[in-house]
Amino acid sequence: MPRPALFVTRKLPPDVEARLARDYEASLNSGDVLPSRDGILSGAAGKDGLLVTVTDRIDADLIRALPPSVKIIATFSVGYDHIDIAAAKARGIAVTNTPDVLTDATAEIALLLMLGAARQATSAIATLRSGQWKNWAPTGMLGMELTGKRLGILGLGRIGRATAHRARAFGMEVHYHNRRRLDPAQEAGATYHADIERLFRVSDVLSLHCASTPETRRIVNRATIALLPQNAIVVNTARGDIVDDEALIEALASGRLAAAGLDVFANEPNLDPRYLDLPNAFLLPHLGSATRETRNAMGFRALDNLDAFFAGRTPPDLVTV
Ligand code: DGY
């Protein structure tokens, strides 16, 4: 039986590519050149499936233009806002993602962002690296302690819960909002707020862990930022478009918010350049899942889904609309 043919849009970790080469007729991207829209379409010609990442915009037009041979799109990511799921369903194309395996890595980055933002790491590092650190000063470079602060989590899913778990070790009090209240075991003592306004009012640190959907896009905006306590911190490891950049930049520049820790941005990698001039913005280039362990696990998880699909089984991480 011929091996299924796959178009793989990005270079993947060596062990993942080795398994791909062993089990599939895989067209790999050894130079890791970002494929254009036309590049994805021509790469998909004659393929049974696509293995894509968050950098590929798989919108409805592209899905409609895919050759009929393509039956599955496996994304090497937990998020799938870059894929039009309804359009894929309409074409009978299965979509899978890679949940679970990046939970811990992303929660670690959320804590890094909280600490970096709270302790003003951006300006402190700049002072040191530019040779302007003259001496230790009792009143110099003061940040905010996380201990005893209220952490508001918007979206207490897998990553939100892993972040809450770590934050408790820092002595933070956890609050959250989800559409539905979780059971007590999953809450682990966190206080539920049925509406986001109440959550924002008690969040000394607000950490975003919800998916990007029409309901959550720009949910952090001028009106909701105004609800946060004075000198609050906003942390985002979810998706950039959950935040209205204009409003966040204004609040950081005016000092209404003490700081922000951001790993994701609208229109990546072309983030709003004004962030770069803000000493109270602690910024990372979408590193949430960027550990060797996690990137391997993401690749293997994507392959487990493809293997199941081509063996005629339901893939474990089938995304449904
Ligand atoms: C995902 O998997 O959705 C992440 O954003 C990639 O780190």
Side-chain angles (χ1 to χ4, degrees), residues 132-142:
Q132 286 166 31
W133 182 36
K134 298 295 176 238
N135 51 47
W136 182 92
T139 56
M141 296 191 260
L142 304 186

Side-chain angles (χ1 to χ4, degrees), residues 54 76-82 98 102 106 237-239 264 286-290 295 298:
V54 291
F76 179 94
S77 62
V78 64
Y80 46 82
D81 49 303
H82 53 295
T98 61
L102 41 65
T106 309
T237 51
R239 283 292 182 266
V264 287
H286 203 147
L287 293 184
S289 64
R295 290 286 163 85
M298 289 166 74

Side-chain angles (χ1 to χ4, degrees), residues 228-244:
L228 291 167
Q230 184 69 32
N231 292 322
I233 288 173
V234 171
V235 165
N236 191 3
T237 51
R239 283 292 182 266
D241 60 5
I242 295 168
V243 170
D244 175 350

Side-chain angles (χ1 to χ4, degrees), residues 63-84:
I63 287 172
R64 278 192 286 270
L66 283 173
S69 58
V70 172
K71 296 285 182 255
I72 180 166
I73 300 171
T75 183
F76 179 94
S77 62
V78 64
Y80 46 82
D81 49 303
H82 53 295
I83 303 175
D84 192 317

Side-chain angles (χ1 to χ4, degrees), residues 243-265:
V243 170
D244 175 350
D245 286 332
E246 203 60 45
L248 182 58
I249 289 167
E250 185 181 292
L252 290 169
S254 70
R256 171 67 180 79
L257 293 179
L262 307 175
D263 184 48
V264 287
F265 303 90

Side-chain angles (χ1 to χ4, degrees), residues 23-240:
D23 298 339
Y24 292 89
E25 285 304 324
S27 149
L28 302 176
N29 184 350
S30 56
D32 203 23
V33 179
L34 203 63
S36 64
R37 183 185 181 77
D38 286 346
I40 295 176
L41 283 177
S42 59
K47 300 296 190 294
D48 301 300
L50 309 181
L51 178 43
V52 306
T53 79
V54 291
T55 53
D56 304 307
R57 195 169 137 69
I58 314 291
D59 60 20
D61 286 344
L62 187 139
I63 287 172
R64 278 192 286 270
L66 283 173
S69 58
V70 172
K71 296 285 182 255
I72 180 166
I73 300 171
T75 183
F76 179 94
S77 62
V78 64
Y80 46 82
D81 49 303
H82 53 295
I83 303 175
D84 192 317
I85 305 295
K89 189 175 179 206
R91 277 270 327 251
I93 296 175
V95 177
T96 64
N97 68 337
T98 61
D100 299 325
V101 290
L102 41 65
T103 300
D104 291 330
T106 309
E108 287 179 7
I109 284 286
L111 266 292
L112 173 61
L113 292 175
M114 265 178 234
L115 289 165
R119 302 303 286 268
Q120 300 289 347
T122 299
S123 53
I125 291 168
T127 301
L128 183 139
R129 286 185 175 270
S130 63
Q132 286 166 31
W133 182 36
K134 298 295 176 238
N135 51 47
W136 182 92
T139 56
M141 296 191 260
L142 304 186
M144 175 182 111
E145 216 154 281
L146 296 182
T147 310
K149 297 297 186 304
R150 297 164 299 179
L151 170 63
I153 295 199
L154 188 58
L156 198 66
R158 286 175 292 255
I159 299 171
R161 291 197 294 275
T163 302
H165 175 69
R166 287 158 176 76
R168 283 188 196 98
F170 280 85
M172 299 186 85
E173 178 186 301
V174 180
H175 296 249
Y176 78 102
H177 167 79
N178 272 6
R179 268 172 306 179
R180 272 183 300 281
R181 186 169 180 173
L182 297 177
D183 62 47
Q186 289 183 314
E187 278 185 346
T191 304
Y192 178 62
H193 298 270
D195 52 72
I196 73 150
E197 288 76 14
R198 282 173 196 267
L199 176 76
F200 277 49
R201 282 186 208 284
V202 298
S203 298
D204 299 313
V205 178
L206 175 72
S207 193
L208 307 174
H209 297 281
C210 51
S212 165
T213 65
E215 293 76 43
T216 61
R217 269 169 220 140
R218 298 205 175 71
I219 202 165
V220 178
N221 54 45
R222 197 161 282 129
T224 54
I225 287 174
L227 301 171
L228 291 167
Q230 184 69 32
N231 292 322
I233 288 173
V234 171
V235 165
N236 191 3
T237 51
R239 283 292 182 266

Side-chain angles (χ1 to χ4, degrees), residues 247-304:
L248 182 58
I249 289 167
E250 185 181 292
L252 290 169
S254 70
R256 171 67 180 79
L257 293 179
L262 307 175
D263 184 48
V264 287
F265 303 90
N267 197 27
E268 290 179 15
N270 304 311
L271 67 155
D272 189 315
R274 290 173 297 173
Y275 280 121
L276 304 175
D277 295 328
L278 288 169
N280 53 353
F282 182 65
L283 311 173
L284 295 174
H286 203 147
L287 293 184
S289 64
T291 66
R292 283 180 203 88
E293 298 89 335
T294 290
R295 290 286 163 85
N296 272 332
M298 289 166 74
F300 296 143
R301 186 92 177 204
L303 282 169
D304 291 345

